[in-house]
Amino acid sequence: MCGIVAYVGNKPCQSLLLAGLKRLEYRGSDSSGIATIEGGKSRVVKTVGRVANLEDKLEETGGLRGAIGMCHTRWATHGGVTDFNAHPHTDDKAGICLIHNGIIENYATLKTLLEEKGHAFKSQTDTEVLAMLIGELYDGDLEKAVQAALREVTGAYGIVVMCEREPDTLVAARKGSPLMVGVGNGEFIVASDGSAIIAHTSQAFALDDYQVVKLTPK
Ligand code: GLU
């Protein structure tokens, strides 16, 4: 189980996300990734290795400037250590981006159902199945789609989800994996560990199991 940091607010968030992720690196990880939405389009950068490798790749590709974003350090449970298997994962329909700590136990059954509906998977992870399921159920309301998808899932999760069609909204949820929300002035930081939040705000709360939160700068 590794690290999650996500942000929604009023300023470009790449450096805040990376600083938070570095604080979580002590947990150990095999790969990392980051995504932001800018101009209604998500951009994802991910790589195997340390967060320093991700920083190099971001520099090579010009960096990310969105004011909503998420990043993740992975400790692989399903699918090998590859760039494709690193998080964030995306869907192929609704512009969903998702990071996940934990294990989706019934991912194989869900994957078969989604493949029958025509979805094409790019990774071997359990996590991509959840991204695809949320996209399949998306009907203009991200929070509702996440709730509906989580009703189909067994296993443990701390997740953060965003959607190109709702570019000022983060949805976070947990069951069995820790997740905290830091409350700033017109901004929120979600993290799997308070150490990634403390530098930005002293106001924070822990999510309970089965709790889902929708966060916007307002
Ligand atoms: N089960 C997911 C994977 O293998 C998440 C692992 C984690 O918690 O880092 O990609």
Side-chain angles (χ1 to χ4, degrees), residues 1-2 72-79 85 87 89 100-104 125-127:
M1 187 165 302
C2 257
H72 183 266
T73 49
R74 179 176 186 234
W75 191 254
T77 66
H78 292 69
N85 286 343
H87 304 208
H89 286 284
H100 165 227
N101 280 351
I103 292 173
I104 306 301
T125 62
D126 50 336
T127 301

PDB file of all heavy atoms in Angstrom, residues 1-2 72-79 85 87 89 100-104 125-127, ligand 1:
ATOM      1  N   MET A   1       0.840  -1.195   0.000  1.00  0.00           N
ATOM      2  CA  MET A   1       0.000   0.000   0.000  1.00  0.00           C
ATOM      3  C   MET A   1       0.877   1.246   0.000  1.00  0.00           C
ATOM      4  O   MET A   1       1.713   1.399   0.871  1.00  0.00           O
ATOM      5  CB  MET A   1      -0.866  -0.019   1.236  1.00  0.00           C
ATOM      6  CG  MET A   1      -1.880   1.079   1.240  1.00  0.00           C
ATOM      7  SD  MET A   1      -3.109   0.766   2.460  1.00  0.00           S
ATOM      8  CE  MET A   1      -3.731  -0.824   1.932  1.00  0.00           C
ATOM      9  N   CYS A   2       0.659   2.102  -0.956  1.00  0.00           N
ATOM     10  CA  CYS A   2       1.592   3.220  -1.082  1.00  0.00           C
ATOM     11  C   CYS A   2       0.926   4.580  -0.951  1.00  0.00           C
ATOM     12  O   CYS A   2      -0.006   4.731  -0.194  1.00  0.00           O
ATOM     13  CB  CYS A   2       2.384   3.072  -2.359  1.00  0.00           C
ATOM     14  SG  CYS A   2       4.003   2.471  -1.895  1.00  0.00           S
ATOM     15  N   HIS A  72       0.686   9.620  -7.239  1.00  0.00           N
ATOM     16  CA  HIS A  72       0.613   8.312  -6.591  1.00  0.00           C
ATOM     17  C   HIS A  72       1.971   7.645  -6.624  1.00  0.00           C
ATOM     18  O   HIS A  72       2.696   7.744  -7.616  1.00  0.00           O
ATOM     19  CB  HIS A  72      -0.395   7.471  -7.397  1.00  0.00           C
ATOM     20  CG  HIS A  72      -0.668   6.096  -6.858  1.00  0.00           C
ATOM     21  ND1 HIS A  72       0.009   4.975  -7.295  1.00  0.00           N
ATOM     22  CD2 HIS A  72      -1.564   5.651  -5.933  1.00  0.00           C
ATOM     23  CE1 HIS A  72      -0.469   3.905  -6.668  1.00  0.00           C
ATOM     24  NE2 HIS A  72      -1.415   4.295  -5.829  1.00  0.00           N
ATOM     25  N   THR A  73       2.327   7.007  -5.521  1.00  0.00           N
ATOM     26  CA  THR A  73       3.440   6.049  -5.571  1.00  0.00           C
ATOM     27  C   THR A  73       2.835   4.662  -5.439  1.00  0.00           C
ATOM     28  O   THR A  73       1.971   4.440  -4.587  1.00  0.00           O
ATOM     29  CB  THR A  73       4.449   6.271  -4.432  1.00  0.00           C
ATOM     30  OG1 THR A  73       3.740   6.368  -3.202  1.00  0.00           O
ATOM     31  CG2 THR A  73       5.284   7.511  -4.667  1.00  0.00           C
ATOM     32  N   ARG A  74       3.306   3.750  -6.282  1.00  0.00           N
ATOM     33  CA  ARG A  74       2.687   2.422  -6.359  1.00  0.00           C
ATOM     34  C   ARG A  74       3.552   1.365  -5.707  1.00  0.00           C
ATOM     35  O   ARG A  74       4.782   1.392  -5.824  1.00  0.00           O
ATOM     36  CB  ARG A  74       2.487   2.064  -7.832  1.00  0.00           C
ATOM     37  CG  ARG A  74       1.873   0.699  -8.049  1.00  0.00           C
ATOM     38  CD  ARG A  74       1.602   0.425  -9.528  1.00  0.00           C
ATOM     39  NE  ARG A  74       0.890  -0.828  -9.693  1.00  0.00           N
ATOM     40  CZ  ARG A  74       1.287  -1.834 -10.481  1.00  0.00           C
ATOM     41  NH1 ARG A  74       2.374  -1.714 -11.207  1.00  0.00           N
ATOM     42  NH2 ARG A  74       0.598  -2.947 -10.546  1.00  0.00           N
ATOM     43  N   TRP A  75       2.914   0.433  -5.051  1.00  0.00           N
ATOM     44  CA  TRP A  75       3.547  -0.813  -4.628  1.00  0.00           C
ATOM     45  C   TRP A  75       2.704  -1.905  -5.271  1.00  0.00           C
ATOM     46  O   TRP A  75       1.616  -2.199  -4.809  1.00  0.00           O
ATOM     47  CB  TRP A  75       3.570  -0.918  -3.094  1.00  0.00           C
ATOM     48  CG  TRP A  75       4.432  -2.035  -2.622  1.00  0.00           C
ATOM     49  CD1 TRP A  75       4.008  -3.230  -2.100  1.00  0.00           C
ATOM     50  CD2 TRP A  75       5.865  -2.075  -2.620  1.00  0.00           C
ATOM     51  NE1 TRP A  75       5.091  -4.002  -1.790  1.00  0.00           N
ATOM     52  CE2 TRP A  75       6.245  -3.325  -2.088  1.00  0.00           C
ATOM     53  CE3 TRP A  75       6.857  -1.188  -3.031  1.00  0.00           C
ATOM     54  CZ2 TRP A  75       7.588  -3.698  -1.962  1.00  0.00           C
ATOM     55  CZ3 TRP A  75       8.185  -1.565  -2.895  1.00  0.00           C
ATOM     56  CH2 TRP A  75       8.537  -2.797  -2.368  1.00  0.00           C
ATOM     57  N   ALA A  76       3.203  -2.457  -6.373  1.00  0.00           N
ATOM     58  CA  ALA A  76       2.391  -3.315  -7.245  1.00  0.00           C
ATOM     59  C   ALA A  76       1.831  -4.531  -6.517  1.00  0.00           C
ATOM     60  O   ALA A  76       2.557  -5.235  -5.823  1.00  0.00           O
ATOM     61  CB  ALA A  76       3.237  -3.764  -8.419  1.00  0.00           C
ATOM     62  N   THR A  77       0.544  -4.751  -6.679  1.00  0.00           N
ATOM     63  CA  THR A  77      -0.061  -6.002  -6.202  1.00  0.00           C
ATOM     64  C   THR A  77      -0.608  -6.815  -7.382  1.00  0.00           C
ATOM     65  O   THR A  77      -0.584  -8.025  -7.358  1.00  0.00           O
ATOM     66  CB  THR A  77      -1.221  -5.748  -5.215  1.00  0.00           C
ATOM     67  OG1 THR A  77      -2.298  -5.111  -5.909  1.00  0.00           O
ATOM     68  CG2 THR A  77      -0.779  -4.901  -4.034  1.00  0.00           C
ATOM     69  N   HIS A  78      -1.133  -6.145  -8.403  1.00  0.00           N
ATOM     70  CA  HIS A  78      -1.725  -6.835  -9.556  1.00  0.00           C
ATOM     71  C   HIS A  78      -1.146  -6.222 -10.825  1.00  0.00           C
ATOM     72  O   HIS A  78      -1.435  -5.069 -11.140  1.00  0.00           O
ATOM     73  CB  HIS A  78      -3.241  -6.689  -9.558  1.00  0.00           C
ATOM     74  CG  HIS A  78      -3.899  -7.412  -8.431  1.00  0.00           C
ATOM     75  ND1 HIS A  78      -3.764  -7.007  -7.130  1.00  0.00           N
ATOM     76  CD2 HIS A  78      -4.675  -8.531  -8.417  1.00  0.00           C
ATOM     77  CE1 HIS A  78      -4.443  -7.838  -6.346  1.00  0.00           C
ATOM     78  NE2 HIS A  78      -5.009  -8.772  -7.111  1.00  0.00           N
ATOM     79  N   GLY A  79      -0.365  -7.003 -11.551  1.00  0.00           N
ATOM     80  CA  GLY A  79       0.299  -6.481 -12.742  1.00  0.00           C
ATOM     81  C   GLY A  79       1.722  -6.075 -12.380  1.00  0.00           C
ATOM     82  O   GLY A  79       1.981  -5.561 -11.286  1.00  0.00           O
ATOM     83  N   ASN A  85       1.320   0.144 -15.976  1.00  0.00           N
ATOM     84  CA  ASN A  85       0.627  -0.281 -14.748  1.00  0.00           C
ATOM     85  C   ASN A  85       0.692   0.756 -13.629  1.00  0.00           C
ATOM     86  O   ASN A  85      -0.036   0.664 -12.655  1.00  0.00           O
ATOM     87  CB  ASN A  85       1.212  -1.611 -14.258  1.00  0.00           C
ATOM     88  CG  ASN A  85       0.768  -2.780 -15.123  1.00  0.00           C
ATOM     89  OD1 ASN A  85      -0.188  -2.673 -15.875  1.00  0.00           O
ATOM     90  ND2 ASN A  85       1.483  -3.888 -15.030  1.00  0.00           N
ATOM     91  N   HIS A  87       0.036   4.283 -11.705  1.00  0.00           N
ATOM     92  CA  HIS A  87      -1.160   5.137 -11.612  1.00  0.00           C
ATOM     93  C   HIS A  87      -0.753   6.575 -11.941  1.00  0.00           C
ATOM     94  O   HIS A  87       0.422   6.901 -11.777  1.00  0.00           O
ATOM     95  CB  HIS A  87      -1.734   5.112 -10.201  1.00  0.00           C
ATOM     96  CG  HIS A  87      -2.054   3.736  -9.692  1.00  0.00           C
ATOM     97  ND1 HIS A  87      -3.042   3.492  -8.765  1.00  0.00           N
ATOM     98  CD2 HIS A  87      -1.511   2.513  -9.955  1.00  0.00           C
ATOM     99  CE1 HIS A  87      -3.098   2.195  -8.484  1.00  0.00           C
ATOM    100  NE2 HIS A  87      -2.163   1.573  -9.192  1.00  0.00           N
ATOM    101  N   HIS A  89      -4.688   5.871 -13.483  1.00  0.00           N
ATOM    102  CA  HIS A  89      -5.303   5.136 -14.582  1.00  0.00           C
ATOM    103  C   HIS A  89      -6.471   5.948 -15.141  1.00  0.00           C
ATOM    104  O   HIS A  89      -7.093   6.728 -14.412  1.00  0.00           O
ATOM    105  CB  HIS A  89      -5.778   3.763 -14.104  1.00  0.00           C
ATOM    106  CG  HIS A  89      -4.630   2.829 -13.885  1.00  0.00           C
ATOM    107  ND1 HIS A  89      -3.956   2.228 -14.918  1.00  0.00           N
ATOM    108  CD2 HIS A  89      -3.993   2.445 -12.753  1.00  0.00           C
ATOM    109  CE1 HIS A  89      -2.968   1.488 -14.442  1.00  0.00           C
ATOM    110  NE2 HIS A  89      -2.955   1.603 -13.123  1.00  0.00           N
ATOM    111  N   HIS A 100      -5.274   4.851  -6.725  1.00  0.00           N
ATOM    112  CA  HIS A 100      -5.851   3.851  -5.819  1.00  0.00           C
ATOM    113  C   HIS A 100      -4.763   3.222  -4.970  1.00  0.00           C
ATOM    114  O   HIS A 100      -3.733   2.799  -5.499  1.00  0.00           O
ATOM    115  CB  HIS A 100      -6.544   2.782  -6.685  1.00  0.00           C
ATOM    116  CG  HIS A 100      -6.898   1.507  -5.992  1.00  0.00           C
ATOM    117  ND1 HIS A 100      -6.608   0.274  -6.551  1.00  0.00           N
ATOM    118  CD2 HIS A 100      -7.518   1.262  -4.817  1.00  0.00           C
ATOM    119  CE1 HIS A 100      -7.054  -0.674  -5.735  1.00  0.00           C
ATOM    120  NE2 HIS A 100      -7.600  -0.106  -4.684  1.00  0.00           N
ATOM    121  N   ASN A 101      -5.014   3.148  -3.674  1.00  0.00           N
ATOM    122  CA  ASN A 101      -4.229   2.292  -2.785  1.00  0.00           C
ATOM    123  C   ASN A 101      -5.116   1.134  -2.374  1.00  0.00           C
ATOM    124  O   ASN A 101      -6.261   1.362  -1.971  1.00  0.00           O
ATOM    125  CB  ASN A 101      -3.824   3.037  -1.502  1.00  0.00           C
ATOM    126  CG  ASN A 101      -2.634   3.939  -1.714  1.00  0.00           C
ATOM    127  OD1 ASN A 101      -1.991   3.906  -2.751  1.00  0.00           O
ATOM    128  ND2 ASN A 101      -2.348   4.755  -0.726  1.00  0.00           N
ATOM    129  N   GLY A 102      -4.594  -0.081  -2.427  1.00  0.00           N
ATOM    130  CA  GLY A 102      -5.365  -1.235  -1.978  1.00  0.00           C
ATOM    131  C   GLY A 102      -5.509  -2.274  -3.068  1.00  0.00           C
ATOM    132  O   GLY A 102      -4.725  -2.311  -4.033  1.00  0.00           O
ATOM    133  N   ILE A 103      -6.528  -3.104  -2.925  1.00  0.00           N
ATOM    134  CA  ILE A 103      -6.735  -4.226  -3.854  1.00  0.00           C
ATOM    135  C   ILE A 103      -8.221  -4.366  -4.163  1.00  0.00           C
ATOM    136  O   ILE A 103      -9.050  -4.418  -3.242  1.00  0.00           O
ATOM    137  CB  ILE A 103      -6.227  -5.551  -3.227  1.00  0.00           C
ATOM    138  CG1 ILE A 103      -4.696  -5.523  -3.087  1.00  0.00           C
ATOM    139  CG2 ILE A 103      -6.665  -6.750  -4.057  1.00  0.00           C
ATOM    140  CD1 ILE A 103      -4.134  -6.696  -2.323  1.00  0.00           C
ATOM    141  N   ILE A 104      -8.566  -4.414  -5.466  1.00  0.00           N
ATOM    142  CA  ILE A 104      -9.951  -4.703  -5.874  1.00  0.00           C
ATOM    143  C   ILE A 104     -10.028  -6.215  -6.096  1.00  0.00           C
ATOM    144  O   ILE A 104      -9.509  -6.742  -7.087  1.00  0.00           O
ATOM    145  CB  ILE A 104     -10.321  -3.948  -7.176  1.00  0.00           C
ATOM    146  CG1 ILE A 104     -10.055  -2.441  -7.040  1.00  0.00           C
ATOM    147  CG2 ILE A 104     -11.781  -4.223  -7.550  1.00  0.00           C
ATOM    148  CD1 ILE A 104     -10.785  -1.732  -5.940  1.00  0.00           C
ATOM    149  N   THR A 125      -3.626  -4.099 -14.225  1.00  0.00           N
ATOM    150  CA  THR A 125      -3.940  -3.818 -12.822  1.00  0.00           C
ATOM    151  C   THR A 125      -5.415  -4.013 -12.484  1.00  0.00           C
ATOM    152  O   THR A 125      -6.286  -3.924 -13.353  1.00  0.00           O
ATOM    153  CB  THR A 125      -3.596  -2.352 -12.479  1.00  0.00           C
ATOM    154  OG1 THR A 125      -4.409  -1.504 -13.287  1.00  0.00           O
ATOM    155  CG2 THR A 125      -2.134  -2.056 -12.719  1.00  0.00           C
ATOM    156  N   ASP A 126      -5.654  -4.223 -11.203  1.00  0.00           N
ATOM    157  CA  ASP A 126      -7.020  -4.198 -10.670  1.00  0.00           C
ATOM    158  C   ASP A 126      -7.584  -2.768 -10.712  1.00  0.00           C
ATOM    159  O   ASP A 126      -8.772  -2.549 -10.897  1.00  0.00           O
ATOM    160  CB  ASP A 126      -7.033  -4.736  -9.224  1.00  0.00           C
ATOM    161  CG  ASP A 126      -5.986  -4.077  -8.329  1.00  0.00           C
ATOM    162  OD1 ASP A 126      -4.982  -3.572  -8.845  1.00  0.00           O
ATOM    163  OD2 ASP A 126      -6.194  -4.056  -7.100  1.00  0.00           O
ATOM    164  N   THR A 127      -6.697  -1.781 -10.582  1.00  0.00           N
ATOM    165  CA  THR A 127      -7.117  -0.377 -10.481  1.00  0.00           C
ATOM    166  C   THR A 127      -7.760   0.135 -11.768  1.00  0.00           C
ATOM    167  O   THR A 127      -8.757   0.863 -11.733  1.00  0.00           O
ATOM    168  CB  THR A 127      -5.894   0.497 -10.133  1.00  0.00           C
ATOM    169  OG1 THR A 127      -5.351   0.029  -8.906  1.00  0.00           O
ATOM    170  CG2 THR A 127      -6.269   1.953 -10.024  1.00  0.00           C
TER     171      THR A 127
HETATM  172  N1  GLU B   1      -3.510  -2.820  -6.492  1.00  0.00           N
HETATM  173  C1  GLU B   1      -3.012  -1.640  -7.116  1.00  0.00           C
HETATM  174  C2  GLU B   1      -1.912  -1.969  -8.094  1.00  0.00           C
HETATM  175  O1  GLU B   1      -1.327  -2.995  -8.060  1.00  0.00           O
HETATM  176  C3  GLU B   1      -2.583  -0.579  -6.101  1.00  0.00           C
HETATM  177  C4  GLU B   1      -1.302  -0.906  -5.384  1.00  0.00           C
HETATM  178  C5  GLU B   1      -0.931   0.148  -4.306  1.00  0.00           C
HETATM  179  O2  GLU B   1      -1.647   0.231  -3.296  1.00  0.00           O
HETATM  180  O3  GLU B   1       0.083   0.851  -4.506  1.00  0.00           O
HETATM  181  O4  GLU B   1      -1.631  -1.173  -8.954  1.00  0.00           O
END
